Amino acid sequence: MPAYRDVLGRIPEPDVEAGRQCQGLLDMKTKPQGSLGRLEELACQWAALRGEPAPAMPRKGMVVMAADHGVTEEGVSAYPAEVTAQMVANFSRGGAAINVLSRQHDVRVEVVDMGVRVPVEGLTGVRHHRMGPGTGNLARGPAMSRKTAEEALSVGALLAIELAESGVTLLGLGDMGIGNTTASAALTCVLAGVSPDMATGRGTGVDDAGLTRKVDVVRRALVVNQPDAADPLDVLAKVGGFEIAGLAGAALGAASRRVPVMLDGFISSVAGLVAARLCPRVMPFLMASHMSREAGHRRVLEALRLRPLLDLGLRLGEGTGAVLAMGLVDSSLHVLHEMATFASAGVAEKSQR
């Protein structure tokens, strides 16, 4: 049995009582009840997911998965496919935005080559779990086989479990792959039930003609492959990506160990949607870091019933928005652990009249 399937029955329910007790602790702090808004919600959500009323500060990890996409043959990106491998090398050197922000926020970064077209051998800190030299061109046939999709899901699930066992308690999902917004748009059409023109955005910055071409490519992919919305594995195999599958598996593996998952933008949120369609029990463990400028992202978050924590106009990927939102989780727990109570500070509480 593929490893990812083994975790599906191990994803627990949130501990609602732990969340309630956490709110009780916050209500004793020197502030009007609920006045810290979503910071308080975050702390209580964290408590419920971790199963403790006053959980420890998170130990943060980020998985950045990279792969190429055969659909770039259709001219759907403003950048050449070679950029994927070049950016993986940049990650290895610590020079990308995700590296800078992760250093600032004390986030451990794991980079995984899931199927970059040109093998990126010998790079420090890059794991190799190659499913192939990029997916097939989804505009002309399936992106990958069903078996390969399961293998990629399993890679992600096992990596997340490994990180959880090493002490990571909050996992972010990041991506790199020229062409992956096209695959994500196709997945969104099927899994969220929206049209190609609503799901497809400019990605790396294509012009109006490029956007029209990209929408047409997504439409053709759906006609050619006929993905079955009732079978999420079929959808993933036909119009997905190696890195998207790996990230979906990582979400499932993390949730099975009570590790909340911070989604980044469009691509990693689509991976979260794939995970949720495979196993709805994962949904409470998914957190939306921000609202991307990609057209389909809002639809994906609506399908996941998630509210983003930030809206900064980001559209880079890599996990950048997820790292920024992890800082809000930190802040919510600093309040929980360090803010004085009315009793300890000698501050009068609200009158009961």
Side-chain angles (χ1 to χ4, degrees):
M1 180 172 65
Y4 85 93
R5 291 190 189 178
D6 189 48
V7 307
L8 300 183
R10 301 185 181 186
I11 297 176
E13 297 287 344
D15 186 337
V16 176
E17 183 56 31
R20 288 198 191 100
Q21 290 179 29
C22 180
Q23 186 63 65
L25 294 173
L26 289 167
D27 288 346
M28 297 168 64
K29 305 297 183 179
T30 50
K31 60 175 181 60
Q33 291 184 8
S35 58
L36 284 176
R38 292 198 66 188
L39 278 185
E40 296 191 38
E41 292 178 21
L42 263 181
C44 295
Q45 181 182 8
W46 181 261
L49 295 178
R50 294 297 293 164
E52 305 172 65
M57 298 293 296
R59 293 181 64 183
K60 304 181 290 288
M62 170 65 62
V63 172
V64 182
M65 292 191 164
D68 275 307
H69 293 255
V71 73
T72 56
E73 298 169 358
E74 305 295 325
V76 294
S77 175
Y79 287 83
E82 290 79 4
V83 169
T84 304
Q86 293 165 359
M87 283 303 301
V88 172
N90 195 19
F91 297 150
S92 174
R93 292 190 296 267
I98 188 59
N99 302 108
V100 174
L101 295 173
S102 293
R103 285 193 292 269
Q104 178 190 357
H105 292 277
D106 192 26
V107 179
R108 169 184 173 182
V109 178
E110 295 286 344
V111 180
V112 186
D113 173 7
M114 292 294 293
V116 177
R117 189 174 70 176
V118 179
V120 285
E121 305 291 346
L123 295 179
T124 302
V126 177
R127 298 181 182 228
H128 300 281
H129 293 285
R130 296 174 55 77
M131 300 292 110
T135 58
N137 183 347
L138 56 81
R140 301 174 186 271
M144 69 191 88
S145 70
R146 192 178 183 95
K147 181 174 182 288
T148 300
E150 290 192 305
E151 290 173 354
L153 284 162
S154 295
V155 166
L158 292 173
L159 176 55
I161 290 169
E162 175 192 330
L163 294 176
E165 291 176 348
S166 73
V168 169
T169 59
L170 174 59
L171 185 66
L173 303 184
D175 69 276
M176 179 63 219
I178 299 300
N180 64 8
T181 57
T182 302
S184 294
L187 288 166
T188 300
C189 288
V190 184
L191 298 178
V194 300
S195 63
D197 59 320
M198 295 176 68
T200 310
R202 295 183 184 274
T204 51
V206 295
D207 60 16
D208 289 346
L211 178 59
T212 298
R213 181 168 56 250
K214 189 174 175 182
V215 171
D216 181 63
V217 166
V218 172
R219 189 174 288 113
R220 280 193 283 131
L222 300 179
V223 172
V224 167
N225 290 291
Q226 292 293 304
D228 180 2
D231 182 356
L233 186 59
D234 179 71
V235 181
L236 178 62
K238 288 179 174 175
V239 296
F242 296 148
E243 80 279 38
I244 297 170
L247 293 172
L252 295 168
S256 75
R257 296 299 191 271
R258 280 198 176 275
V259 172
V261 175
M262 186 66 76
L263 304 174
D264 185 36
F266 184 38
I267 287 84
S268 75
S269 296
V270 167
L273 183 58
V274 170
R277 293 295 186 255
L278 287 167
C279 181
R281 289 170 67 94
V282 77
M283 290 180 68
F285 286 87
L286 303 179
M287 308 169 84
S289 63
H290 73 105
M291 177 63 72
S292 166
R293 291 178 63 186
E294 273 299 293
H297 192 206
R298 184 181 301 277
R299 301 293 181 173
V300 173
L301 295 185
E302 288 172 354
L304 288 169
R305 301 195 293 274
L306 292 177
R307 287 186 300 155
L309 292 164
L310 301 167
D311 189 349
L312 302 175
L314 304 178
R315 57 180 180 87
L316 176 60
E318 302 180 8
T320 48
V323 167
L324 293 173
M326 286 177 173
L328 294 177
V329 177
D330 283 340
S331 294
S332 74
L333 293 173
H334 277 298
V335 166
L336 177 64
H337 290 294
E338 300 175 21
M339 190 173 176
T341 64
F342 287 102
S344 69
V347 174
E349 297 190 51
K350 178 181 177 182
S351 171
Q352 299 300 312
R353 288 186 301 166

